[in-house]
């Protein structure tokens, strides 16, 4: 079963009337939460593991707002049974993320870690419950992503950008699982005492809570698994925006008016974006800070940029022989 959509309707903001309402409303709620968390950081100067206690609710509000705003639009691209299934799945995802966010804010108010917490039986149980929520959220997103695989959009560049963006975002969301295993220090503490206050970490090679980038908190002394998780997750916005940007440029650049050229560029951009996520994950797993890459990392990055630049040039310059489907 497929859903058909006219090209203007894909890009027309008037279509917001047909967007998935629960996720659109929730995106609005996350915008409010963003403002409130900023206000909280200005008023409440308490810290936890070296970061303001309201920094994590702020980051999750921004990320969640963008994520569900995009899914509200994506669900609107579907029709019939596919839309009903994706609508239910997206509503489930909203409920689960909202529950996780409430738990996170509750722990922030208590000055307790919301993730990896094992300080008390209550903290451990809450983190385990959040883990179940995250797993359910990922599965609900998987259902929506599969539904998008059967969506027909006449603008082929947008068609492929939606598909690849959803898949990259699903992979990026799954990278959160890389942070849940005990670190060597935590394993040693458990072996010695039978207990560790934290189980899991986002930093590699250093303890969580060390020096980090302003507001983002990404480690500047070791690897940080959150970066690939974040960048992968927001492929959901980046790749459709690439397709829309190409459509805008096509009004000025005649070569881009060919659908096949824009499709090639979307494929190239998708490969490059996925490669970037993999590169940043590889860098973090080797304990390297994002802003202090080694020569090996720089060489790999240069190779990635070179390959993608060559592929982009070929996408534009190689003659189009037949329509790309």
């Amino acid at each position: 079963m497929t859903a058909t959509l006219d090209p203007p309707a894909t890009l027309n903001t008037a279509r917001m009337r047909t967007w998935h309402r629960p996720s659109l409303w929730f995106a609005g709620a996350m915008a409010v939460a963003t403002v409130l968390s900023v206000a909280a950081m200005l008023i409440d100067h308490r810290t936890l593991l070296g970061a303001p206690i309201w920094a994590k609710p702020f980051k999750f509000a921004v990320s969640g707002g963008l994520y569900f705003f995009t899914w509200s639009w994506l669900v609107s691209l579907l029709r019939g049974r596919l839309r009903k299934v994706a609508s239910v799945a997206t509503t489930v995802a909203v409920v689960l993320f909202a529950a996780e966010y409430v738990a996170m804010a509750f722990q922030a108010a208590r000055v307790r870690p919301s993730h990896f917490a094992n300080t008390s039986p209550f903290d451990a149980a809450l983190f385990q419950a959040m883990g179940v929520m995250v797993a359910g959220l990922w599965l609900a997103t998987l259902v929506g992503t599969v539904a998008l695989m059967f969506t027909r959009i006449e603008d082929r560049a947008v068609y492929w950008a939606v598909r690849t963006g959803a898949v990259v975002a699903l992979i990026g969301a799954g990278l959160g699982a890389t942070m849940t295993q005990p670190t060597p220090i935590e394993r040693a503490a458990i072996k010695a005492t039978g207990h560790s206050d934290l189980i899991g970490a986002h930093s590699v090679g250093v303890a969580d809570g060390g020096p980090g980038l302003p507001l983002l908190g990404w480690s500047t002394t070791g690897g940080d698994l959150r970066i690939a998780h974040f960048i992968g997750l927001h492929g959901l916005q980046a790749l459709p925006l690439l397709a829309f940007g190409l459509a805008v440029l096509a009004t000025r650049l005649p070569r881009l008016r060919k659908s096949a050229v824009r499709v090639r560029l979307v494929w190239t951009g998708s490969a490059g974006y996925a490669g970037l996520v993999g590169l940043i994950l590889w860098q973090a797993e080797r304990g390297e800070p994002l802003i202090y890459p080694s020569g090996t990392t720089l060489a790999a990055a240069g190779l990635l940029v070179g390959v993608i630049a060559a592929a982009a040039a070929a996408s534009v310059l190689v003659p189009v022989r037949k329509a790309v489907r």
Side-chain angles (χ1 to χ4, degrees):
M1 183 177 180
T2 58
T4 304
L5 203 65
D6 294 327
T10 306
L11 305 173
N12 192 345
T13 56
R15 291 194 72 252
M16 286 188 73
R17 295 191 303 271
T18 69
W19 287 23
H20 182 251
R21 307 315 290 181
S23 52
L24 186 60
W25 293 333
F26 186 69
M30 287 292 95
V32 173
T34 299
V35 174
L36 292 177
S37 57
V38 169
M41 283 190 285
L42 294 175
I43 296 170
D44 187 349
H45 298 143
R46 291 177 294 171
T47 61
L48 177 66
L49 295 176
I53 60 172
W54 299 107
K56 181 175 285 188
F58 166 77
K59 291 185 286 186
F60 271 69
V62 173
S63 185
L66 290 171
Y67 188 78
F68 284 105
F69 182 83
T70 306
W71 267 108
S72 181
W73 166 64
L74 292 173
V75 172
S76 76
L77 302 181
L78 298 162
R79 294 290 181 270
R81 293 179 183 176
L82 286 177
R83 175 161 184 151
K84 291 179 181 178
V85 170
S87 180
V88 170
T90 305
T91 300
V92 169
V94 166
V95 171
L96 291 171
F97 188 92
E100 182 189 9
Y101 192 82
V102 169
M104 186 188 312
F106 174 71
Q107 289 293 75
R110 298 177 64 229
V111 198
R112 296 288 183 89
S114 54
H115 293 80
F116 322 127
N118 193 44
T119 309
S120 69
F122 174 79
D123 291 330
L126 187 59
F127 177 49
Q128 290 172 2
M130 291 174 67
V132 173
M133 295 173 197
V134 170
L137 174 60
W138 191 89
L139 290 172
T141 304
L142 174 62
V143 172
T145 300
V146 171
L148 287 174
M149 298 301 107
F150 296 92
T151 304
R152 288 188 68 182
I153 302 173
E154 293 304 320
D155 187 306
R156 305 302 289 174
V158 176
Y159 170 82
W160 284 108
V162 163
R163 284 182 161 198
T164 57
V167 170
V168 170
L170 190 67
I171 294 170
L175 292 179
T178 62
M179 309 177 209
T180 59
Q181 297 302 311
T183 66
I185 294 175
E186 290 165 355
R187 285 196 293 268
I190 293 170
K191 183 176 180 179
T193 67
H195 177 79
S196 173
D197 286 344
L198 296 172
I199 302 293
H202 52 72
S203 298
V204 179
V206 295
D208 284 356
L213 294 176
L215 193 58
L216 293 172
W218 295 342
S219 179
T220 56
T221 57
D224 199 315
L225 298 168
R226 293 175 296 182
I227 307 172
H229 175 58
F230 175 84
I231 293 176
L233 192 64
H234 291 291
L236 190 69
Q237 291 84 41
L239 294 175
L241 284 174
L242 170 62
F244 294 152
L246 291 172
V248 172
L249 287 174
T251 63
R252 294 175 175 247
L253 302 175
R255 184 63 179 166
L256 293 182
R257 292 171 192 166
K258 295 180 180 293
S259 175
V261 172
R262 297 198 307 277
V263 169
R264 289 173 180 174
L265 289 171
V266 165
W267 286 347
T268 300
S270 299
Y273 199 91
L276 175 64
V277 173
L279 176 65
I280 291 175
L281 177 62
W282 178 59
Q283 180 187 19
E285 288 180 332
R286 290 183 294 121
E288 284 184 16
L290 177 69
I291 61 174
Y292 299 118
S294 66
T296 301
T297 301
L298 288 174
L303 178 62
L304 176 64
V305 170
V307 169
I308 296 304
S315 297
V316 174
L317 299 176
V318 172
V320 175
R321 298 185 181 278
K322 60 180 180 179
V324 178
R325 303 301 293 176

